[in-house]
mmCIF file of all heavy atoms in Angstrom:
data_model
loop_
_atom_site.group_PDB
_atom_site.id
_atom_site.type_symbol
_atom_site.label_atom_id
_atom_site.label_comp_id
_atom_site.label_asym_id
_atom_site.label_seq_id
_atom_site.Cartn_x
_atom_site.Cartn_y
_atom_site.Cartn_z
ATOM 1 N N LEU A 159 12.387 54.593 -42.552
ATOM 2 C CA LEU A 159 13.019 54.174 -41.299
ATOM 3 C C LEU A 159 12.241 53.035 -40.688
ATOM 4 O O LEU A 159 11.070 53.185 -40.337
ATOM 5 C CB LEU A 159 13.072 55.369 -40.324
ATOM 6 C CG LEU A 159 13.839 55.155 -39.026
ATOM 7 C CD1 LEU A 159 15.323 54.978 -39.293
ATOM 8 C CD2 LEU A 159 13.612 56.377 -38.108
ATOM 9 N N GLU A 160 12.868 51.863 -40.618
ATOM 10 C CA GLU A 160 12.314 50.711 -39.897
ATOM 11 C C GLU A 160 10.885 50.379 -40.294
ATOM 12 O O GLU A 160 9.973 50.301 -39.480
ATOM 13 C CB GLU A 160 12.409 50.954 -38.387
ATOM 14 C CG GLU A 160 13.830 51.084 -37.874
ATOM 15 C CD GLU A 160 13.910 51.396 -36.410
ATOM 16 O OE1 GLU A 160 12.839 51.470 -35.755
ATOM 17 O OE2 GLU A 160 15.026 51.558 -35.892
ATOM 18 N N GLY A 161 10.672 50.169 -41.594
ATOM 19 C CA GLY A 161 9.362 49.743 -42.080
ATOM 20 C C GLY A 161 8.339 50.839 -42.229
ATOM 21 O O GLY A 161 7.176 50.561 -42.527
ATOM 22 N N ILE A 162 8.735 52.096 -42.042
ATOM 23 C CA ILE A 162 7.829 53.236 -42.174
ATOM 24 C C ILE A 162 8.430 54.218 -43.173
ATOM 25 O O ILE A 162 9.616 54.556 -43.079
ATOM 26 C CB ILE A 162 7.590 53.938 -40.837
ATOM 27 C CG1 ILE A 162 6.930 52.967 -39.839
ATOM 28 C CG2 ILE A 162 6.735 55.181 -40.999
ATOM 29 C CD1 ILE A 162 6.829 53.513 -38.411
ATOM 30 N N THR A 163 7.636 54.648 -44.139
ATOM 31 C CA THR A 163 8.082 55.653 -45.116
ATOM 32 C C THR A 163 7.346 56.956 -44.851
ATOM 33 O O THR A 163 6.127 56.969 -44.739
ATOM 34 C CB THR A 163 7.805 55.193 -46.559
ATOM 35 O OG1 THR A 163 8.438 53.929 -46.787
ATOM 36 C CG2 THR A 163 8.336 56.210 -47.560
ATOM 37 N N ARG A 164 8.113 58.029 -44.702
ATOM 38 C CA ARG A 164 7.511 59.352 -44.460
ATOM 39 C C ARG A 164 7.458 60.137 -45.777
ATOM 40 O O ARG A 164 8.450 60.307 -46.459
ATOM 41 C CB ARG A 164 8.338 60.118 -43.422
ATOM 42 C CG ARG A 164 7.874 61.579 -43.262
ATOM 43 C CD ARG A 164 8.441 62.186 -42.004
ATOM 44 N NE ARG A 164 7.891 61.517 -40.835
ATOM 45 C CZ ARG A 164 8.403 61.651 -39.599
ATOM 46 N NH1 ARG A 164 9.449 62.412 -39.402
ATOM 47 N NH2 ARG A 164 7.852 61.017 -38.592
ATOM 48 N N TYR A 165 6.262 60.625 -46.101
ATOM 49 C CA TYR A 165 6.044 61.429 -47.285
ATOM 50 C C TYR A 165 5.787 62.876 -46.923
ATOM 51 O O TYR A 165 5.074 63.156 -45.930
ATOM 52 C CB TYR A 165 4.824 60.922 -48.064
ATOM 53 C CG TYR A 165 5.049 59.688 -48.888
ATOM 54 C CD1 TYR A 165 4.951 58.422 -48.321
ATOM 55 C CD2 TYR A 165 5.335 59.780 -50.252
ATOM 56 C CE1 TYR A 165 5.136 57.280 -49.082
ATOM 57 C CE2 TYR A 165 5.520 58.649 -51.017
ATOM 58 C CZ TYR A 165 5.415 57.402 -50.416
ATOM 59 O OH TYR A 165 5.619 56.276 -51.178
ATOM 60 N N SER A 166 6.294 63.788 -47.713
ATOM 61 C CA SER A 166 5.766 65.159 -47.701
ATOM 62 C C SER A 166 4.387 65.091 -48.358
ATOM 63 O O SER A 166 4.212 64.346 -49.334
ATOM 64 C CB SER A 166 6.684 66.107 -48.483
ATOM 65 O OG SER A 166 7.948 66.191 -47.886
ATOM 66 N N ALA A 167 3.431 65.805 -47.827
ATOM 67 C CA ALA A 167 2.069 65.710 -48.357
ATOM 68 C C ALA A 167 1.316 67.022 -48.151
ATOM 69 O O ALA A 167 1.821 67.934 -47.472
ATOM 70 C CB ALA A 167 1.322 64.552 -47.669
ATOM 71 N N HIS A 168 0.128 67.101 -48.743
ATOM 72 C CA HIS A 168 -0.709 68.280 -48.603
ATOM 73 C C HIS A 168 -2.075 67.863 -48.101
ATOM 74 O O HIS A 168 -2.708 66.953 -48.635
ATOM 75 C CB HIS A 168 -0.842 69.002 -49.947
ATOM 76 C CG HIS A 168 -1.598 70.289 -49.862
ATOM 77 N ND1 HIS A 168 -1.073 71.414 -49.263
ATOM 78 C CD2 HIS A 168 -2.842 70.638 -50.287
ATOM 79 C CE1 HIS A 168 -1.952 72.398 -49.332
ATOM 80 N NE2 HIS A 168 -3.032 71.956 -49.942
ATOM 81 N N ASP A 169 -2.507 68.512 -47.037
ATOM 82 C CA ASP A 169 -3.825 68.279 -46.456
ATOM 83 C C ASP A 169 -4.845 69.112 -47.245
ATOM 84 O O ASP A 169 -4.922 70.335 -47.082
ATOM 85 C CB ASP A 169 -3.821 68.675 -44.981
ATOM 86 C CG ASP A 169 -5.154 68.447 -44.281
ATOM 87 O OD1 ASP A 169 -6.152 68.151 -44.961
ATOM 88 O OD2 ASP A 169 -5.195 68.574 -43.042
ATOM 89 N N LEU A 170 -5.623 68.479 -48.114
ATOM 90 C CA LEU A 170 -6.555 69.201 -48.983
ATOM 91 C C LEU A 170 -7.693 69.830 -48.181
ATOM 92 O O LEU A 170 -8.228 70.868 -48.572
ATOM 93 C CB LEU A 170 -7.125 68.249 -50.031
ATOM 94 C CG LEU A 170 -6.114 67.587 -50.971
ATOM 95 C CD1 LEU A 170 -6.833 66.668 -51.950
ATOM 96 C CD2 LEU A 170 -5.293 68.633 -51.712
ATOM 97 N N GLU A 171 -8.041 69.221 -47.084
ATOM 98 C CA GLU A 171 -9.174 69.745 -46.287
ATOM 99 C C GLU A 171 -8.816 71.039 -45.578
ATOM 100 O O GLU A 171 -9.616 71.967 -45.515
ATOM 101 C CB GLU A 171 -9.602 68.684 -45.270
ATOM 102 C CG GLU A 171 -10.840 69.066 -44.479
ATOM 103 C CD GLU A 171 -11.304 67.941 -43.584
ATOM 104 O OE1 GLU A 171 -11.566 66.831 -44.106
ATOM 105 O OE2 GLU A 171 -11.387 68.141 -42.337
ATOM 106 N N ARG A 172 -7.590 71.134 -45.070
ATOM 107 C CA ARG A 172 -7.177 72.319 -44.318
ATOM 108 C C ARG A 172 -6.179 73.195 -45.073
ATOM 109 O O ARG A 172 -5.782 74.236 -44.555
ATOM 110 C CB ARG A 172 -6.588 71.926 -42.963
ATOM 111 C CG ARG A 172 -7.607 71.238 -42.068
ATOM 112 C CD ARG A 172 -7.180 71.292 -40.626
ATOM 113 N NE ARG A 172 -8.195 70.714 -39.756
ATOM 114 C CZ ARG A 172 -8.108 70.716 -38.433
ATOM 115 N NH1 ARG A 172 -7.044 71.242 -37.856
ATOM 116 N NH2 ARG A 172 -9.057 70.186 -37.700
ATOM 117 N N GLY A 173 -5.756 72.782 -46.252
ATOM 118 C CA GLY A 173 -4.854 73.570 -47.059
ATOM 119 C C GLY A 173 -3.503 73.797 -46.394
ATOM 120 O O GLY A 173 -2.968 74.906 -46.392
ATOM 121 N N ARG A 174 -2.892 72.743 -45.865
ATOM 122 C CA ARG A 174 -1.638 72.883 -45.168
ATOM 123 C C ARG A 174 -0.689 71.731 -45.539
ATOM 124 O O ARG A 174 -1.131 70.668 -45.979
ATOM 125 C CB ARG A 174 -1.854 72.862 -43.635
ATOM 126 C CG ARG A 174 -2.485 71.577 -43.140
ATOM 127 C CD ARG A 174 -2.737 71.594 -41.653
ATOM 128 N NE ARG A 174 -3.365 70.348 -41.199
ATOM 129 C CZ ARG A 174 -3.705 70.088 -39.960
ATOM 130 N NH1 ARG A 174 -3.469 70.999 -39.017
ATOM 131 N NH2 ARG A 174 -4.263 68.933 -39.638
ATOM 132 N N ALA A 175 0.589 71.977 -45.363
ATOM 133 C CA ALA A 175 1.594 70.936 -45.584
ATOM 134 C C ALA A 175 1.662 70.026 -44.378
ATOM 135 O O ALA A 175 1.569 70.473 -43.220
ATOM 136 C CB ALA A 175 2.960 71.577 -45.839
ATOM 137 N N VAL A 176 1.812 68.740 -44.616
ATOM 138 C CA VAL A 176 1.912 67.754 -43.540
ATOM 139 C C VAL A 176 2.946 66.701 -43.931
ATOM 140 O O VAL A 176 3.424 66.666 -45.069
ATOM 141 C CB VAL A 176 0.543 67.053 -43.250
ATOM 142 C CG1 VAL A 176 -0.456 68.047 -42.686
ATOM 143 C CG2 VAL A 176 -0.001 66.385 -44.509
ATOM 144 N N TRP A 177 3.253 65.835 -42.985
ATOM 145 C CA TRP A 177 3.976 64.600 -43.244
ATOM 146 C C TRP A 177 3.001 63.452 -43.085
ATOM 147 O O TRP A 177 2.148 63.476 -42.186
ATOM 148 C CB TRP A 177 5.115 64.390 -42.251
ATOM 149 C CG TRP A 177 6.287 65.297 -42.415
ATOM 150 C CD1 TRP A 177 6.692 65.952 -43.534
ATOM 151 C CD2 TRP A 177 7.251 65.607 -41.397
ATOM 152 N NE1 TRP A 177 7.833 66.679 -43.287
ATOM 153 C CE2 TRP A 177 8.199 66.475 -41.983
ATOM 154 C CE3 TRP A 177 7.405 65.253 -40.060
ATOM 155 C CZ2 TRP A 177 9.276 66.971 -41.286
ATOM 156 C CZ3 TRP A 177 8.468 65.744 -39.356
ATOM 157 C CH2 TRP A 177 9.406 66.605 -39.959
ATOM 158 N N VAL A 178 3.120 62.449 -43.930
ATOM 159 C CA VAL A 178 2.328 61.230 -43.774
ATOM 160 C C VAL A 178 3.282 60.053 -43.638
ATOM 161 O O VAL A 178 4.103 59.784 -44.523
ATOM 162 C CB VAL A 178 1.389 61.001 -44.983
ATOM 163 C CG1 VAL A 178 0.651 59.678 -44.833
ATOM 164 C CG2 VAL A 178 0.368 62.142 -45.083
ATOM 165 N N ASP A 179 3.179 59.356 -42.510
ATOM 166 C CA ASP A 179 3.970 58.140 -42.274
ATOM 167 C C ASP A 179 3.135 56.941 -42.681
ATOM 168 O O ASP A 179 2.032 56.725 -42.167
ATOM 169 C CB ASP A 179 4.342 58.016 -40.800
ATOM 170 C CG ASP A 179 5.435 58.982 -40.391
ATOM 171 O OD1 ASP A 179 5.956 59.705 -41.248
ATOM 172 O OD2 ASP A 179 5.770 59.012 -39.172
ATOM 173 N N LEU A 180 3.660 56.133 -43.611
ATOM 174 C CA LEU A 180 2.972 54.939 -44.061
ATOM 175 C C LEU A 180 3.705 53.692 -43.585
ATOM 176 O O LEU A 180 4.909 53.535 -43.849
ATOM 177 C CB LEU A 180 2.899 54.901 -45.597
ATOM 178 C CG LEU A 180 2.025 55.937 -46.298
ATOM 179 C CD1 LEU A 180 2.125 55.743 -47.809
ATOM 180 C CD2 LEU A 180 0.581 55.827 -45.838
ATOM 181 N N LEU A 181 2.989 52.854 -42.875
ATOM 182 C CA LEU A 181 3.544 51.554 -42.509
ATOM 183 C C LEU A 181 3.600 50.696 -43.778
ATOM 184 O O LEU A 181 2.738 50.795 -44.649
ATOM 185 C CB LEU A 181 2.655 50.883 -41.469
ATOM 186 C CG LEU A 181 3.164 49.588 -40.834
ATOM 187 C CD1 LEU A 181 4.441 49.816 -40.052
ATOM 188 C CD2 LEU A 181 2.081 48.984 -39.940
ATOM 189 N N ASP A 182 4.620 49.880 -43.888
ATOM 190 C CA ASP A 182 4.784 49.055 -45.090
ATOM 191 C C ASP A 182 3.518 48.288 -45.418
ATOM 192 O O ASP A 182 2.895 47.703 -44.526
ATOM 193 C CB ASP A 182 5.933 48.050 -44.896
ATOM 194 C CG ASP A 182 7.290 48.674 -45.153
ATOM 195 O OD1 ASP A 182 7.341 49.839 -45.587
ATOM 196 O OD2 ASP A 182 8.312 47.997 -44.908
ATOM 197 N N PRO A 183 3.144 48.250 -46.715
ATOM 198 C CA PRO A 183 1.982 47.411 -47.085
ATOM 199 C C PRO A 183 2.298 45.943 -46.794
ATOM 200 O O PRO A 183 3.421 45.492 -46.961
ATOM 201 C CB PRO A 183 1.854 47.672 -48.599
ATOM 202 C CG PRO A 183 3.182 48.173 -49.029
ATOM 203 C CD PRO A 183 3.765 48.920 -47.874
ATOM 204 N N GLY A 184 1.297 45.244 -46.362
ATOM 205 C CA GLY A 184 1.507 43.828 -46.047
ATOM 206 C C GLY A 184 2.087 43.590 -44.655
ATOM 207 O O GLY A 184 2.432 42.452 -44.332
ATOM 208 N N ALA A 185 2.187 44.650 -43.847
ATOM 209 C CA ALA A 185 2.675 44.472 -42.475
ATOM 210 C C ALA A 185 1.710 43.554 -41.705
ATOM 211 O O ALA A 185 0.511 43.557 -41.935
ATOM 212 C CB ALA A 185 2.794 45.821 -41.777
ATOM 213 N N ARG A 186 2.268 42.798 -40.788
ATOM 214 C CA ARG A 186 1.449 41.867 -40.020
ATOM 215 C C ARG A 186 0.438 42.617 -39.159
ATOM 216 O O ARG A 186 0.614 43.778 -38.837
ATOM 217 C CB ARG A 186 2.353 40.998 -39.151
ATOM 218 C CG ARG A 186 3.265 40.079 -39.926
ATOM 219 C CD ARG A 186 4.226 39.359 -39.022
ATOM 220 N NE ARG A 186 3.554 38.615 -37.969
ATOM 221 C CZ ARG A 186 4.175 37.903 -37.041
ATOM 222 N NH1 ARG A 186 5.498 37.815 -37.051
ATOM 223 N NH2 ARG A 186 3.500 37.280 -36.097
ATOM 224 N N HIS A 187 -0.626 41.879 -38.813
ATOM 225 C CA HIS A 187 -1.706 42.497 -38.035
ATOM 226 C C HIS A 187 -1.194 43.095 -36.734
ATOM 227 O O HIS A 187 -1.586 44.206 -36.352
ATOM 228 C CB HIS A 187 -2.785 41.467 -37.757
ATOM 229 C CG HIS A 187 -3.846 41.957 -36.812
ATOM 230 N ND1 HIS A 187 -4.835 42.867 -37.197
ATOM 231 C CD2 HIS A 187 -4.071 41.703 -35.481
ATOM 232 C CE1 HIS A 187 -5.609 43.137 -36.169
ATOM 233 N NE2 HIS A 187 -5.175 42.437 -35.121
ATOM 234 N N ASP A 188 -0.300 42.386 -36.021
ATOM 235 C CA ASP A 188 0.189 42.913 -34.731
ATOM 236 C C ASP A 188 1.025 44.167 -34.942
ATOM 237 O O ASP A 188 1.025 45.061 -34.103
ATOM 238 C CB ASP A 188 0.964 41.843 -33.972
ATOM 239 C CG ASP A 188 2.148 41.287 -34.750
ATOM 240 O OD1 ASP A 188 2.174 41.444 -35.975
ATOM 241 O OD2 ASP A 188 3.045 40.708 -34.109
ATOM 242 N N ALA A 189 1.752 44.256 -36.067
ATOM 243 C CA ALA A 189 2.530 45.475 -36.347
ATOM 244 C C ALA A 189 1.602 46.646 -36.617
ATOM 245 O O ALA A 189 1.859 47.757 -36.147
ATOM 246 C CB ALA A 189 3.444 45.231 -37.543
ATOM 247 N N ARG A 190 0.521 46.427 -37.364
ATOM 248 C CA ARG A 190 -0.444 47.498 -37.617
ATOM 249 C C ARG A 190 -1.123 47.927 -36.314
ATOM 250 O O ARG A 190 -1.346 49.108 -36.069
ATOM 251 C CB ARG A 190 -1.499 47.057 -38.614
ATOM 252 C CG ARG A 190 -0.974 46.809 -40.017
ATOM 253 C CD ARG A 190 -2.102 46.842 -41.050
ATOM 254 N NE ARG A 190 -3.245 46.050 -40.673
ATOM 255 C CZ ARG A 190 -3.371 44.745 -40.921
ATOM 256 N NH1 ARG A 190 -2.388 44.084 -41.515
ATOM 257 N NH2 ARG A 190 -4.464 44.103 -40.574
ATOM 258 N N ARG A 191 -1.450 46.931 -35.475
ATOM 259 C CA ARG A 191 -2.094 47.240 -34.197
ATOM 260 C C ARG A 191 -1.191 48.114 -33.336
ATOM 261 O O ARG A 191 -1.640 49.121 -32.763
ATOM 262 C CB ARG A 191 -2.450 45.954 -33.471
ATOM 263 C CG ARG A 191 -3.114 46.150 -32.108
ATOM 264 C CD ARG A 191 -3.400 44.815 -31.452
ATOM 265 N NE ARG A 191 -2.195 44.050 -31.233
ATOM 266 C CZ ARG A 191 -1.392 44.188 -30.180
ATOM 267 N NH1 ARG A 191 -1.668 45.115 -29.272
ATOM 268 N NH2 ARG A 191 -0.311 43.442 -30.047
ATOM 269 N N ARG A 192 0.116 47.762 -33.231
ATOM 270 C CA ARG A 192 1.034 48.574 -32.434
ATOM 271 C C ARG A 192 1.194 49.963 -33.031
ATOM 272 O O ARG A 192 1.247 50.956 -32.287
ATOM 273 C CB ARG A 192 2.407 47.865 -32.351
ATOM 274 C CG ARG A 192 2.411 46.663 -31.440
ATOM 275 C CD ARG A 192 3.843 46.217 -31.139
ATOM 276 N NE ARG A 192 4.575 45.896 -32.354
ATOM 277 C CZ ARG A 192 4.627 44.676 -32.883
ATOM 278 N NH1 ARG A 192 3.960 43.681 -32.308
ATOM 279 N NH2 ARG A 192 5.344 44.442 -33.966
ATOM 280 N N PHE A 193 1.305 50.051 -34.335
ATOM 281 C CA PHE A 193 1.471 51.330 -34.998
ATOM 282 C C PHE A 193 0.268 52.241 -34.700
ATOM 283 O O PHE A 193 0.431 53.419 -34.335
ATOM 284 C CB PHE A 193 1.626 51.117 -36.494
ATOM 285 C CG PHE A 193 1.760 52.377 -37.308
ATOM 286 C CD1 PHE A 193 3.022 52.957 -37.517
ATOM 287 C CD2 PHE A 193 0.660 52.998 -37.876
ATOM 288 C CE1 PHE A 193 3.156 54.117 -38.256
ATOM 289 C CE2 PHE A 193 0.783 54.155 -38.616
ATOM 290 C CZ PHE A 193 2.035 54.723 -38.817
ATOM 291 N N LEU A 194 -0.934 51.727 -34.877
ATOM 292 C CA LEU A 194 -2.139 52.529 -34.692
ATOM 293 C C LEU A 194 -2.355 52.900 -33.219
ATOM 294 O O LEU A 194 -2.815 53.988 -32.901
ATOM 295 C CB LEU A 194 -3.367 51.810 -35.245
ATOM 296 C CG LEU A 194 -3.397 51.703 -36.775
ATOM 297 C CD1 LEU A 194 -4.523 50.801 -37.218
ATOM 298 C CD2 LEU A 194 -3.551 53.100 -37.399
ATOM 299 N N ARG A 195 -2.024 51.958 -32.310
ATOM 300 C CA ARG A 195 -2.142 52.267 -30.887
ATOM 301 C C ARG A 195 -1.149 53.376 -30.509
ATOM 302 O O ARG A 195 -1.488 54.324 -29.791
ATOM 303 C CB ARG A 195 -1.894 51.021 -30.033
ATOM 304 C CG ARG A 195 -2.070 51.277 -28.542
ATOM 305 C CD ARG A 195 -1.741 50.057 -27.732
ATOM 306 N NE ARG A 195 -0.355 49.655 -27.931
ATOM 307 C CZ ARG A 195 0.181 48.563 -27.369
ATOM 308 N NH1 ARG A 195 -0.537 47.780 -26.627
ATOM 309 N NH2 ARG A 195 1.460 48.250 -27.583
ATOM 310 N N GLY A 196 0.083 53.260 -30.998
ATOM 311 C CA GLY A 196 1.079 54.294 -30.733
ATOM 312 C C GLY A 196 0.654 55.649 -31.316
ATOM 313 O O GLY A 196 0.845 56.686 -30.689
ATOM 314 N N ALA A 197 0.075 55.608 -32.525
ATOM 315 C CA ALA A 197 -0.380 56.856 -33.141
ATOM 316 C C ALA A 197 -1.507 57.490 -32.347
ATOM 317 O O ALA A 197 -1.564 58.725 -32.204
ATOM 318 C CB ALA A 197 -0.824 56.590 -34.579
ATOM 319 N N ALA A 198 -2.396 56.673 -31.803
ATOM 320 C CA ALA A 198 -3.481 57.208 -30.985
ATOM 321 C C ALA A 198 -2.936 57.867 -29.706
ATOM 322 O O ALA A 198 -3.400 58.918 -29.297
ATOM 323 C CB ALA A 198 -4.465 56.093 -30.622
ATOM 324 N N ILE A 199 -1.936 57.227 -29.091
ATOM 325 C CA ILE A 199 -1.297 57.802 -27.905
ATOM 326 C C ILE A 199 -0.600 59.101 -28.259
ATOM 327 O O ILE A 199 -0.724 60.118 -27.551
ATOM 328 C CB ILE A 199 -0.312 56.804 -27.286
ATOM 329 C CG1 ILE A 199 -1.046 55.599 -26.734
ATOM 330 C CG2 ILE A 199 0.528 57.467 -26.205
ATOM 331 C CD1 ILE A 199 -0.158 54.469 -26.281
ATOM 332 N N GLY A 200 0.134 59.122 -29.378
ATOM 333 C CA GLY A 200 0.811 60.340 -29.796
ATOM 334 C C GLY A 200 -0.137 61.464 -30.123
ATOM 335 O O GLY A 200 0.113 62.625 -29.804
ATOM 336 N N ALA A 201 -1.273 61.132 -30.762
ATOM 337 C CA ALA A 201 -2.264 62.159 -31.116
ATOM 338 C C ALA A 201 -2.915 62.759 -29.882
ATOM 339 O O ALA A 201 -3.342 63.921 -29.895
ATOM 340 C CB ALA A 201 -3.310 61.570 -32.052
ATOM 341 N N ALA A 202 -3.025 61.968 -28.818
ATOM 342 C CA ALA A 202 -3.659 62.464 -27.589
ATOM 343 C C ALA A 202 -2.701 63.297 -26.742
ATOM 344 O O ALA A 202 -3.139 63.958 -25.770
ATOM 345 C CB ALA A 202 -4.166 61.292 -26.768
ATOM 346 N N LEU A 203 -1.418 63.309 -27.056
ATOM 347 C CA LEU A 203 -0.432 64.075 -26.286
ATOM 348 C C LEU A 203 -0.692 65.568 -26.468
ATOM 349 O O LEU A 203 -0.741 66.070 -27.587
ATOM 350 C CB LEU A 203 0.962 63.713 -26.750
ATOM 351 C CG LEU A 203 2.157 64.178 -25.912
ATOM 352 C CD1 LEU A 203 2.102 63.567 -24.524
ATOM 353 C CD2 LEU A 203 3.461 63.831 -26.606
ATOM 354 N N PRO A 204 -0.864 66.346 -25.394
ATOM 355 C CA PRO A 204 -1.091 67.781 -25.531
ATOM 356 C C PRO A 204 0.054 68.499 -26.270
ATOM 357 O O PRO A 204 1.191 68.025 -26.249
ATOM 358 C CB PRO A 204 -1.207 68.289 -24.075
ATOM 359 C CG PRO A 204 -1.596 67.059 -23.310
ATOM 360 C CD PRO A 204 -0.927 65.916 -23.984
#
């Protein structure tokens, strides 16, 4: 969806199923910056 691919994945450290969203390889620096900033905000949400 819109330059992001979601994978089913396994967290080896915690032994649990997760989703991993990958931004397209080769994405521009500003796109990576927005993605990571948004992810940080989302991760901080209680």
Side-chain angles (χ1 to χ4, degrees):
L159 186 66
E160 297 177 2
I162 298 172
T163 303
R164 173 165 294 166
Y165 282 85
S166 297
H168 185 71
D169 181 350
L170 301 179
E171 185 175 303
R172 297 200 176 184
R174 61 182 179 180
V176 293
W177 288 336
V178 176
D179 285 357
L180 291 179
L181 187 64
D182 278 354
R186 295 174 55 180
H187 173 74
D188 57 341
R190 294 200 312 274
R191 179 181 60 84
R192 286 194 301 268
F193 178 88
L194 290 171
R195 183 184 60 184
I199 293 172
L203 191 63

